[in-house]
Amino acid sequence: MKLGEVLINKGLLTEDRLRLALANQKITGTMIGEALIKLGFVSSNEIARTLAEQAGIPFVDLAEYAVAEEAIRLIPKEVAEKTGFIPLRLTDSHVEIGITNPANIRAIDTVSKMTGKQSQVFMIDNVGFHETLERVYFFLDNPIQQNITEAIDEIKNSAVLPAPTVAQLSENLVMEGIRRKATDIHISPASDTINVFYRVDGVLQYGFCMPKSAHNGIVSRIKVQSMLDISEQRLPQDGSYSLTFLNTKYEMRVSTTPTIYGENIVVRVLAGTGQLLNIDSLGFDPVNTARLRTIFKKPHGIILITGPTGSGKTTTLYAALREVNLIERNVLTVEDPVEYKLSFVKQTAVNLKTGYDFALAGKTFMRQDPDVMLLGEIRDEETAKIAVRASITGHLVLSTLHTNNAVTSVPRLLDFNIDRFMLSSSLLAVVAQRLIRKLCSTCKEEHPVTDEELRALELSEDEKKYLGAQELKTAFRSKGCDACNFTGYMGRTVVGEIMVVNDEIKEMISEGASLNKLKDAALVNGMIPLKISGIRKVTEHITSIDEVMRLID
């Protein structure tokens, strides 16, 4: 079967989208797989999984896999790139390799000749292959951690601060953040040292301790790059700069704030987008996945994704957009910033300098003949009222909101002075979610669940009923190894609760029912609480009890 037919049979592609991709292919001359990926109809990851399933080869997601240094030392980069494989891991008898083409026999022969060992083959996606190949060989030739340590020693032992060394140190601290796939880099001064932390998978990891003498040089370097005033040290400042590294463009959002020991700097690393996910691969359980698929096919109303910053709300929104028939429906988005680029979607970014915000975009969109509107965030009364008005006039409105759970979104919206009846008639569903860390598959270890852990979870009788037969007797916990940087975790998945607003809940919102009554009605209507979703991940050996307690009340 041809690739397009296989993807249709798996439900990843429709015939309409395949016809459009074939029309695009005639103009651009690209391969059909490349055309499908470029148009955003399927991801490189999904194509690779499909090919792996067809060929009976296990699939490895490179985004959640640590390539072993001793494996890539065996094969030169030029050989790996030319032959189309990447060394993944070394065992006593095998070399594990990742290939993008199931018929790549040449890679197996090359590994056998160069190492004298047999190959164990895994399927990887094409985009991840090129990105990972560049990354792992660059950091092999440029040991960033060693460079930082040497620079720290040089600064510590120098009577006069070497300016080139400080400049190089600043760049290496940022590169180390990219190597760790950090979302934020914290450079924090203390009384006689500087401490560097990296936020990875939502948790701060300690990086380096440096001499205080380097502080002014590092701060000045980052301020100059971000077009900030280096002479102003008494007031907070915000800036940004772009960095192109290994063919990827990174946007660095820089924030400074004065502390008693000097200026504290936080650099937010916006690293492009990663691959688009579909609803099935987000991490929701099958029941919630089916509910999501149903509500996102509604013709009009408001669907809200809620959760703290960094909880994957935007990723869920875009996975939802993939469920929308983009050929038949006009989709408009306004975001801050545009994180994913989708074909056949009219995307705009807010520009506060010109006064173009979510509210103004919402007003403008109404004159653009929309079917679906994505408003990046409901931040104020005006945006909230525009969203409600648009949904009542026959549009599907998708947006995000900062609340702790699904039910508390109702009073949060009422705080924006929205009429209760208007809200009850427009709200379709609220999805509250968190990103929970997954245990490292290399080092996780099983243990019996103690009475103390069960007490700490504070499960009510109703919550125990939700677990049913999945009684918590054994679980896995983090240990730590080289593969996961001794954190015990690698990658994240979503846990969430979905409140679908049925007729009963609509009436309760209109009548001003209490939060407890709303929650009880949502539970009766099938909402699975956040904590239960988290504990189910524990029973499935995906995460640990400690991680659930860290993240969910």
Side-chain angles (χ1 to χ4, degrees), residues 12-312:
L12 295 170
L13 188 66
T14 63
E15 290 187 7
D16 286 346
R17 291 188 175 189
L18 177 58
R19 280 196 296 270
L20 206 153
L22 289 169
N24 180 276
Q25 182 193 19
K26 286 181 181 178
I27 302 299
T28 60
T30 58
M31 300 289 285
I32 186 62
E34 292 176 26
L36 289 168
I37 293 167
K38 187 177 179 181
L39 290 169
F41 292 159
V42 294
S43 68
S44 175
N45 205 309
E46 288 164 351
I47 288 178
R49 286 179 187 273
T50 302
L51 293 173
E53 195 174 305
Q54 269 195 308
I57 300 172
F59 175 80
V60 165
D61 187 354
L62 289 175
E64 297 179 357
Y65 190 93
V67 177
E69 189 175 305
E70 64 266 21
I72 58 175
R73 285 187 183 279
L74 292 174
I75 308 290
K77 179 187 175 185
E78 296 75 21
V79 174
E81 192 169 23
K82 186 177 179 181
T83 317
F85 76 95
I86 184 169
L88 298 174
R89 196 167 288 173
L90 196 60
T91 67
D92 292 339
S93 57
H94 289 85
V95 179
E96 296 179 1
I97 63 170
I99 57 175
T100 58
N101 181 356
N104 190 353
I105 305 298
R106 190 177 167 203
I108 298 171
D109 292 340
T110 301
V111 170
S112 178
K113 286 176 184 176
M114 296 190 73
T115 66
K117 294 190 174 188
Q118 295 296 312
S119 300
Q120 187 172 355
V121 177
F122 294 87
M123 195 73 188
I124 57 176
D125 73 279
N126 198 44
V127 173
F129 164 70
H130 291 291
E131 289 178 353
T132 305
L133 191 76
E134 291 294 328
R135 174 188 290 268
V136 295
Y137 280 102
F138 175 86
F139 288 118
L140 180 67
D141 296 334
N142 300 274
I144 300 296
Q145 289 180 310
Q146 182 182 323
N147 294 344
I148 292 173
T149 303
E150 289 173 357
I152 291 171
D153 290 339
E154 185 179 345
I155 292 168
K156 187 172 68 173
N157 298 322
S158 298
V160 179
L161 194 66
T165 302
V166 174
Q168 192 65 41
L169 176 60
S170 300
E171 291 181 10
N172 281 332
L173 290 174
V174 171
M175 282 195 212
E176 174 64 10
I178 293 172
R179 188 189 73 82
R180 295 191 188 204
K181 300 180 181 177
T183 56
D184 300 87
I185 303 167
H186 293 244
I187 301 172
S188 306
S191 57
D192 53 0
T193 59
I194 313 166
N195 295 303
V196 181
F197 295 85
Y198 297 95
R199 187 174 294 280
V200 181
D201 289 338
V203 178
L204 283 178
Q205 293 180 3
Y206 187 72
F208 305 95
C209 182
M210 300 182 293
K212 186 67 178 284
S213 58
H215 182 250
N216 287 337
I218 292 172
V219 170
S220 296
R221 171 77 178 179
I222 294 174
K223 278 186 167 183
V224 167
Q225 287 178 297
S226 312
M227 305 292 286
L228 298 178
D229 185 355
I230 61 172
S231 64
E232 180 57 74
Q233 300 177 4
R234 299 165 299 173
L235 294 172
Q237 296 186 69
D238 291 317
S240 64
Y241 68 96
S242 297
L243 171 68
T244 301
F245 179 63
L246 298 179
N247 301 319
T248 301
K249 187 176 182 180
Y250 296 86
E251 290 294 329
M252 304 295 185
R253 301 276 182 90
V254 177
S255 174
T256 73
T257 191
T259 72
I260 57 173
Y261 296 120
E263 287 183 282
N264 189 80
I265 289 186
V266 176
V267 181
R268 167 64 59 90
V269 182
L270 299 175
T273 59
Q275 295 202 39
L276 275 174
L277 299 178
N278 60 24
I279 282 181
D280 293 305
S281 57
L282 287 173
F284 289 99
D285 60 56
V287 174
N288 277 338
T289 298
R291 289 187 134 201
L292 282 174
R293 187 162 270 120
T294 301
I295 61 176
F296 282 118
K297 288 182 179 175
K298 298 286 186 182
H300 54 80
I302 298 177
I303 301 171
L304 292 174
I305 314 290
T306 74
T309 301
S311 58

Side-chain angles (χ1 to χ4, degrees), residues 400-414:
T400 67
L401 195 67
H402 288 286
T403 59
N404 288 328
N405 53 51
V407 177
T408 52
S409 298
V410 174
R412 178 81 177 101
L413 288 169
L414 292 173

Side-chain angles (χ1 to χ4, degrees), residues 433-457:
Q433 66 178 58
R434 303 285 189 278
L435 286 179
I436 201 161
R437 291 185 296 171
K438 297 196 289 187
L439 287 164
C440 172
S441 58
T442 304
C443 66
K444 66 180 181 182
E445 58 181 13
E446 193 171 7
H447 71 103
V449 177
T450 63
D451 292 337
E452 186 180 346
E453 286 175 319
L454 287 173
R455 283 194 298 271
L457 284 171

Side-chain angles (χ1 to χ4, degrees), residues 444-474:
K444 66 180 181 182
E445 58 181 13
E446 193 171 7
H447 71 103
V449 177
T450 63
D451 292 337
E452 186 180 346
E453 286 175 319
L454 287 173
R455 283 194 298 271
L457 284 171
E458 297 178 344
L459 289 174
S460 66
E461 290 303 317
D462 287 337
E463 287 172 332
K464 288 177 182 176
K465 289 177 186 175
Y466 273 100
L467 284 174
Q470 294 177 304
E471 192 174 348
L472 208 54
K473 292 183 177 179
T474 63

